[in-house]
Amino acid sequence: MTLESILPPERALFGVPGGSKKRVLEFFSTFIAQNTPSLDSQEVFSRLVGRERLGSTGIGHGVAIPHARNPHCKSPLAGFLKLSEPVDFDAIDGEPVDLVFVLLVPEQADDAHLALLGQVAAVMNDPDTRQQLRKSETQRQLYDTLLDAIRRHASEDRSG
């Protein structure tokens, strides 16, 4: 399973209104439930918020990777949000977040799902990738930039 296979172009969202961590998670929950009939927005939201209570998913450098298990999620789903303005995400470095990569996995998540989370973190830890994502001016450009970074990272993993 690859990040590329679980992140279709329509789930890379550009210029998403921020406001607060809660608003961003609410926005994503509503969005993903509208696009995935088996998911309930309230359940997705409460699970993402529940995960945040365990500790912020803000990994630093303006990036957050909110993630949660969901019993109605048949296979992993990803979404990427570029916020119109950064929000406080209680990140480990205290920096506000403007790049949000959301991952939902089935309840019986296994090592493959942890590997997906690791891939997201590795891609988002690259300073060039973050800079290019922030420079993106359209949804298509945002998605293409993200996909290039995912593919580049995947090929480095295979060769290294």
Side-chain angles (χ1 to χ4, degrees):
M1 177 150 319
T2 64
L3 281 181
E4 186 174 347
S5 66
I6 64 170
L7 182 69
E10 65 273 13
R11 282 203 229 118
L13 303 176
F14 178 83
V16 173
S20 67
K21 180 195 318 199
K22 183 174 177 249
R23 273 232 193 84
V24 170
L25 296 177
E26 233 165 17
F27 176 92
F28 177 79
S29 302
T30 302
F31 169 78
I32 201 71
Q34 286 170 343
N35 289 275
T36 314
S38 64
L39 296 179
D40 173 69
S41 65
Q42 279 310 111
E43 183 177 27
V44 171
F45 177 69
S46 72
R47 285 176 174 263
L48 287 170
V49 167
R51 170 58 191 83
E52 288 298 321
R53 281 195 199 108
L54 299 175
S56 174
T57 56
I59 62 166
H61 305 289
V63 175
I65 309 175
H67 55 280
R69 294 170 189 249
N70 188 300
H72 304 291
C73 196
K74 307 286 180 267
S75 62
L77 296 170
F80 184 77
L81 315 175
K82 179 179 184 240
L83 305 182
S84 54
E85 71 278 339
V87 299
D88 180 15
F89 226 86
D90 306 313
I92 53 173
D93 63 358
E95 294 290 314
V97 162
D98 62 342
L99 301 174
V100 182
F101 204 119
V102 190
L103 197 56
L104 295 178
V105 299
E107 195 69 62
Q108 329 67 303
D110 57 16
D111 292 347
H113 303 130
L114 291 174
L116 284 172
L117 203 54
Q119 286 175 43
V120 174
V123 168
M124 298 311 293
N125 270 329
D126 178 41
D128 291 338
T129 297
R130 292 192 306 267
Q131 184 182 19
Q132 290 303 316
L133 289 168
R134 288 186 173 111
K135 282 184 185 171
S136 299
E137 295 183 9
T138 64
Q139 181 173 357
R140 186 77 227 179
Q141 190 182 11
L142 183 70
Y143 182 73
D144 291 344
T145 300
L146 189 56
L147 216 54
D148 287 348
I150 289 169
R151 288 174 178 157
R152 195 170 56 245
H153 185 75
S155 71
E156 286 167 8
D157 270 3
R158 284 193 295 274
S159 65

